[in-house]
Amino acid sequence: MADNKDFYATLGVAKGASEDDLKKAFRKLAMQYHPDKNPGDKAAEAKFKEINHAYDILKDPDKRAAYDRYGNAAFEGGNPFGNRGGNPFGQGGPGGGAGGFEGFNFGGGGFSDIFEEMFGDIMGGQRGGGQQRGYGGKPGSARGSDLQYGIEISLEESFKGTEKTIKVPTFSQCEVCTGTGAKAGTKPETCPTCQGQGRVRAQQGFFTIERGCPTCGGVGQTIREKCTACGGAGRVRKEKTLKVNIPSGIEHGRRIRLANEGEAGANGGPAGDLYVLVNLKGHKLFTREGADLHCRVPIAMSIAALGGTIEVPTIEGGRAEVKLPPGTQTGQQFRLKGKGMSMMRSTARGDMYIELFVETPVHLSKKQQDLLKEFAGKDPQANSPESQGFFKKVKEFWGDLTG
């Protein structure tokens, strides 16, 4: 491999290329020049080693920084940094194993990352013995699953806020072994097959294939004597009782997160979260739209005609007076400011809207009927402007049809 090669040019990327761009370029070239796809082609083999060496340097931030500053001299046997003890990356440079194809180690180079990304599930599952990265757990540990629990509350409870006690069936950490899975007085031992790595390697032709350890199942530890309470699982199924604070003003469909109250993690991993989904029951008087309430109120025909005062209920259990003008019509709305729902994390409240509908009287006495007939007189529509306007349009419509 020529020492004066431009690693960026070898991969076909610009000097400022991102890690993703480097990886994509390497993936494409590695698949193109891989010896298995080019049997007997020495030029392809040499190109494959060249691009692998280039990617091995550029994927490492420290090596890349040294290369950007000093070029290929950073990885030669001589010391380009002055009298400081030779090559800062050790004997043979950071790509020391890439000098000859026979000694090429796919397990530690860039190609192993791509290969395992594409074929990891087939060759034995997750990397690192199945360890869930980002949780700081031991090899083989995994964060517990998140859970969701539905709860139903009334509109009044949503208005005031409330506290509910719930019982959630879940996996909890075994109290006997504290999640280790080992019998009391003992502890898990390092797996002798993988030495605690959770992964083993096997040579197959050009490849060094890494897979989950068959002895420990990728955990990295073995249990000689299992806990009798959990059977070695480190967690047991049980019903957990929790108190949930429901804030005032909460809306239908909102979720409340209870951190670390989900399922316990496997092999001592952290617990997941519990999400409480809040559903509101229907109400016999009010309907809710955001922070506003709507109430449909029937009124007598006499009150609608003459005007008057009515009392309407409020969500807190009180009463509010509404003055109606004479001639009130069905569908008219009246707004009661600040009589709606509470708002979450606020002292403000929504509004309440009263929608009226005029009720036609029924079961009239003979005297009432006579009074209504007298009221109607010869022109029943004389006191009904909307009816007058409508039937006027009807007559015009009929007139237009007859020409």
Side-chain angles (χ1 to χ4, degrees), residues 216-261:
C216 65
V219 177
Q221 295 179 326
T222 58
I223 300 175
R224 182 169 298 182
E225 295 184 77
K226 294 182 179 180
C227 171
T228 56
C230 65
R235 57 182 187 171
V236 294
R237 181 166 285 281
K238 63 183 294 187
E239 192 174 65
K240 184 188 295 185
T241 301
L242 300 169
K243 290 187 180 298
V244 184
N245 289 316
I246 310 293
S248 62
I250 193 165
E251 296 185 34
H252 179 81
R254 292 292 294 269
R255 296 197 308 173
I256 299 172
R257 174 176 171 261
L258 302 181
N260 303 319
E261 294 294 354

Side-chain angles (χ1 to χ4, degrees), residues 120-173:
D121 290 339
I122 299 173
M123 295 303 177
Q126 293 177 317
R127 300 182 66 187
Q131 182 177 359
Q132 298 287 326
R133 297 186 179 188
Y135 298 108
K138 64 184 180 182
S141 66
R143 181 180 181 271
S145 298
D146 291 338
L147 299 177
Q148 180 165 290
Y149 185 93
I151 191 171
E152 194 173 52
I153 64 173
S154 67
L155 192 63
E156 289 87 352
E157 288 175 323
S158 171
F159 171 74
K160 297 176 182 178
T162 185
E163 182 181 79
K164 292 288 187 180
T165 299
I166 61 175
K167 294 183 178 181
V168 184
T170 182
F171 279 108
S172 298
Q173 187 180 79

Side-chain angles (χ1 to χ4, degrees), residues 229-306:
C230 65
R235 57 182 187 171
V236 294
R237 181 166 285 281
K238 63 183 294 187
E239 192 174 65
K240 184 188 295 185
T241 301
L242 300 169
K243 290 187 180 298
V244 184
N245 289 316
I246 310 293
S248 62
I250 193 165
E251 296 185 34
H252 179 81
R254 292 292 294 269
R255 296 197 308 173
I256 299 172
R257 174 176 171 261
L258 302 181
N260 303 319
E261 294 294 354
E263 286 191 349
N267 300 304
D273 298 331
L274 174 65
Y275 291 88
V276 179
L277 178 65
V278 177
N279 298 304
L280 296 188
K281 300 176 186 176
H283 198 276
K284 55 188 174 184
L285 292 177
F286 304 107
T287 57
R288 179 177 181 175
E289 289 185 7
D292 294 332
L293 290 175
H294 294 261
C295 184
R296 190 168 182 260
V297 180
I299 59 172
M301 185 179 69
S302 58
I303 295 179
L306 302 174

